[in-house]
Amino acid sequence: MGMKHYPAEFKADAVALYRSRPGATIKSVATDLGVNTETLRNWIRAADGRRSGAHSATKSGGDGVQAELAAAQKRTRELEEERDILRKAARYFANGDALVNRCQFVEDHQRRHGVKRLCIILGLSRSSFYYWRRTAAVRTARRAAETELADRIREVHQDSDGTYGAPRVTAELRDEGIRINHKRVARIMRTIGLEGVRLRRRHRTTLADPAAAKASDLIGRDFTADAVNTKYVGDITYLPVSGAKPLYLATVIDLASRRLAGWAIADHMRTELVIDALAAAERTRDSLAGAIIHTDHGSQYTSRAFAETCRSAGVRQSMSAIGSSADNAAAESFNATFKRETLKGRQGWPSEREARLDAFRWLTRYNTRRRHSRLGQRSPIAYENALPLTTTTLTQSA
């Protein structure tokens, strides 16, 4: 710790040391001596004053030299202070937004250095600073709202098992009465590191029987319907299981509401699998009489057993072209979504039991909760419940 009172000899030596080192700053010399920077500066000023008084009787030209020296010393002090200010400000600029950080620095240091000088040093207009300070309350409120919204978006995303992207999250928020644009949701999701799941590579499950009878294409790639229980698509997809044979999922989807009317899971692709799925759809709708079921040319769908099941249920068969996935695009899209949102990038399920449970949960939530882009971001059952009774021709049981 430095002394409270310094001898005159110490002061004189300190000033002499500073003057003997042209490249040194007052601060660096003060640090070496263990004294306060302002204390050493005052000693130098006092010594300069004494020197000026001692030479007052010299020629008038000497006064001009002293004035210039004093001005130079003053400018040196100002430059030193500016350098110190910029060093402090550098820590503020590490966070990205230069304008905001400059304004915050002026706000934090204005009492010591003054707004005008700080703005000049930092290259900031005073009007920008005063506007920034005047709108501080609004920004604080906006940040709080953004944080609250980000928390709710995180909850919605988590509730969807991490599958929803910005459009479905936006729909969920709007249903809660939150007025928000999907672009804002997408921006916030990027900020907090959230995204929906993405497509996976397909696995072939259609094995055509060249000798089997083929049905005509009754829908012609028109995957829409004016009423529920009039047009369906059916397909099979596989469920990979690590270290074991895969499972297979057969589905029957209503093209009017995109509702999964029936489904079945088995460890084989025999005809019984698609028959079970159609029977489940018949139980859901009470009757399928008059409806169309559109499928690919897989041997299960071209079999006599499946054709007989369709005749017994009053269902007309329709088939896509061989090798054309576009002719059964609705079913293909459903399968891709199912895989994407259940596997979430994994190669397969660790066991058959987990595969069945994951499938059961997702397929049930698909009907009751998952928002569908073609249905105005509503779930299939919510869409059906909103239809006029004249268009829902049969019971919409869960």
Side-chain angles (χ1 to χ4, degrees):
M1 180 178 296
M3 295 181 289
K4 293 184 178 180
H5 302 287
Y6 295 91
E9 295 82 359
F10 183 90
K11 297 178 183 179
D13 289 342
V15 173
L17 176 63
Y18 168 71
R19 288 174 175 164
S20 69
R21 298 168 63 187
T25 64
I26 295 176
K27 183 177 180 180
S28 63
V29 173
T31 301
D32 291 341
L33 298 176
V35 300
N36 184 273
T37 303
E38 288 301 318
T39 299
L40 178 57
R41 182 175 285 116
N42 289 335
W43 294 346
I44 295 171
R45 288 172 181 169
D48 290 341
R50 287 193 298 272
R51 290 177 64 188
S52 177
H55 294 82
S56 60
T58 60
K59 297 179 180 180
S60 58
D63 293 338
V65 172
Q66 290 299 325
E68 291 179 5
L69 179 60
Q73 290 173 341
K74 179 181 179 182
R75 182 55 184 156
T76 300
R77 290 193 297 271
E78 291 175 348
L79 291 173
E80 289 176 351
E81 192 171 37
E82 288 180 10
R83 182 194 60 190
D84 292 340
I85 289 172
L86 290 173
R87 284 177 176 174
K88 294 176 183 177
R91 292 194 293 270
Y92 282 68
F93 299 154
N95 297 325
D97 192 328
L99 177 60
V100 171
N101 293 331
R102 281 183 289 174
C103 290
Q104 188 63 59
F105 182 82
V106 174
E107 177 73 13
D108 293 345
H109 297 81
Q110 61 175 316
R111 290 191 176 183
R112 180 173 180 180
H113 302 289
V115 171
K116 181 178 180 180
R117 188 174 185 205
L118 289 174
C119 287
I120 292 173
I121 292 173
L122 298 179
L124 174 68
S125 69
R126 278 183 287 171
S127 61
S128 295
F129 167 71
Y130 287 122
Y131 174 80
W132 176 87
R133 187 164 65 179
R134 187 168 61 251
T135 57
V138 175
R139 290 195 307 278
T140 300
R142 187 184 298 121
R143 283 196 297 269
E146 192 94 339
T147 300
E148 183 178 351
L149 184 58
D151 290 341
R152 182 61 192 130
I153 287 174
R154 190 178 286 106
E155 291 173 358
V156 171
H157 186 262
Q158 184 177 1
D159 194 44
S160 72
D161 291 338
T163 61
Y164 277 8
R168 289 188 173 88
V169 172
T170 302
E172 190 78 28
L173 297 176
R174 286 175 177 171
D175 274 3
E176 297 175 4
I178 300 174
R179 298 179 61 182
I180 190 169
N181 185 284
H182 74 279
K183 293 182 180 179
R184 186 182 179 194
V185 172
R187 174 180 59 77
I188 295 175
M189 289 183 69
R190 286 194 300 271
T191 301
I192 61 180
L194 298 180
E195 63 179 1
V197 292
R198 302 183 182 278
L199 289 171
R200 288 176 54 84
R201 182 171 56 87
R202 293 184 62 244
H203 179 84
R204 187 182 179 194
T205 54
T206 302
L207 302 174
D209 181 357
K214 308 296 190 296
S216 301
D217 187 347
L218 302 180
I219 69 170
R221 296 189 180 182
D222 178 14
F223 299 107
T224 62
D226 296 330
V228 299
N229 199 30
T230 57
K231 291 166 68 175
Y232 292 89
V233 291
D235 199 12
I236 300 173
T237 190
Y238 91 116
L239 283 60
V241 178
S242 300
K245 63 186 298 187
L247 298 176
Y248 296 91
L249 168 68
T251 55
V252 178
I253 302 168
D254 193 311
L255 287 178
S257 64
R258 291 303 196 270
R259 181 174 181 174
L260 180 62
W263 55 277
I265 296 178
D267 59 359
H268 61 78
M269 286 199 301
R270 296 191 294 272
T271 303
E272 303 97 278
L273 177 65
V274 296
I275 290 176
D276 289 345
L278 187 64
E282 189 174 21
R283 289 193 297 271
T284 297
R285 296 303 195 192
D286 289 340
S287 172
L288 297 175
I292 294 173
I293 177 72
H294 181 78
T295 66
D296 58 29
H297 282 263
S299 59
Q300 304 87 349
Y301 294 113
T302 58
S303 66
R304 290 184 178 181
F306 185 72
E308 180 58 36
T309 301
C310 289
R311 281 193 293 272
S312 298
V315 173
R316 292 182 293 164
Q317 279 189 271
S318 170
M319 292 187 182
S320 60
I322 296 178
S324 176
S325 60
D327 286 349
N328 201 16
E332 297 283 354
S333 176
F334 176 90
N335 292 339
T337 300
F338 166 74
K339 292 276 191 67
R340 186 170 67 246
E341 297 188 1
T342 51
L343 285 174
K344 299 177 184 176
R346 296 177 296 172
Q347 295 299 313
W349 282 273
S351 68
E352 178 181 322
R353 172 178 170 78
E354 288 198 35
R356 287 181 179 273
L357 290 177
D358 272 4
F360 171 76
R361 182 173 185 268
W362 189 92
L363 296 171
T364 303
R365 285 168 58 93
Y366 171 86
N367 278 337
T368 60
R369 296 190 59 185
R370 188 185 182 279
R371 296 176 181 275
H372 202 295
S373 58
R374 294 183 64 90
L375 305 178
Q377 297 297 358
R378 289 174 288 182
S379 70
I381 288 181
Y383 176 82
E384 289 188 1
N385 290 340
L387 292 174
L389 292 178
T390 55
T391 64
T392 53
T393 57
L394 293 171
T395 303
Q396 309 300 308
S397 59

